[in-house]
């Protein structure tokens, strides 16, 4: 199983980016998926999560600006980030709680994608 994140980059404050995370491999079912981020010198923090049914949860710092979504048919997770602030700059990681075809349940992490916001 592999998670491949993409979509990061450099954007000016107030701008937008869309992150994607594609899960591939011997996947039976994906439960909760989420985005986390880690800025230099800080701990990794939750950004947003989404269940297979579409229920979402957001960190207070991104509510109203970020939207998490997923395409279950494509095993792909998205994060639409609007009104970006310099404080949003970090490496963004996707995470998936999934069950593989053998029935093993594990959490998997993507490799991270860098988001840089210039002021």
């Amino acid at each position: 199983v592999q998670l491949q994140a993409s979509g990061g980059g450099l954007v000016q404050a107030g701008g937008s980016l869309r992150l994607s995370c594609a899960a591939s491999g011997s996947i039976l079912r994906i439960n909760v998926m989420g985005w986390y981020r880690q800025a230099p010198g800080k701990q990794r923090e939750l950004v947003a999560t989404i269940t297979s049914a579409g229920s979402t949860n957001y960190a207070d710092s991104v509510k109203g600006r970020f939207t998490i979504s997923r395409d279950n048919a494509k095993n792909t997770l998205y994060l639409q980030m609007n009104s970006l602030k310099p404080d949003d700059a970090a490496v963004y990681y996707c995470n998936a709680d999934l069950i593989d075809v053998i029935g093993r349940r594990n959490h998997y992490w993507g490799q991270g994608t860098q988001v840089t916001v210039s002021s």
Side-chain angles (χ1 to χ4, degrees), residues 3-5 19-23 30-37 44-52 55-59 66-70 72 75-79 91-98 107-113:
L3 269 63
Q4 182 71 40
L19 306 183
S20 299
C21 175
I30 303 178
N31 298 317
V32 178
M33 302 184 81
W35 289 100
Y36 294 74
R37 66 188 182 187
R44 190 172 297 187
E45 63 176 4
L46 170 72
V47 175
T49 61
I50 184 169
T51 69
S52 58
S55 295
T56 58
N57 178 58
Y58 295 92
F66 290 10
T67 301
I68 189 171
S69 61
R70 63 192 280 178
N72 291 329
N75 287 339
T76 301
L77 175 71
Y78 304 98
L79 185 68
V91 177
Y92 283 70
Y93 298 91
C94 56
N95 176 275
D97 170 14
L98 65 83
H107 283 265
Y108 292 86
W109 290 93
Q111 84 284 10
T113 184

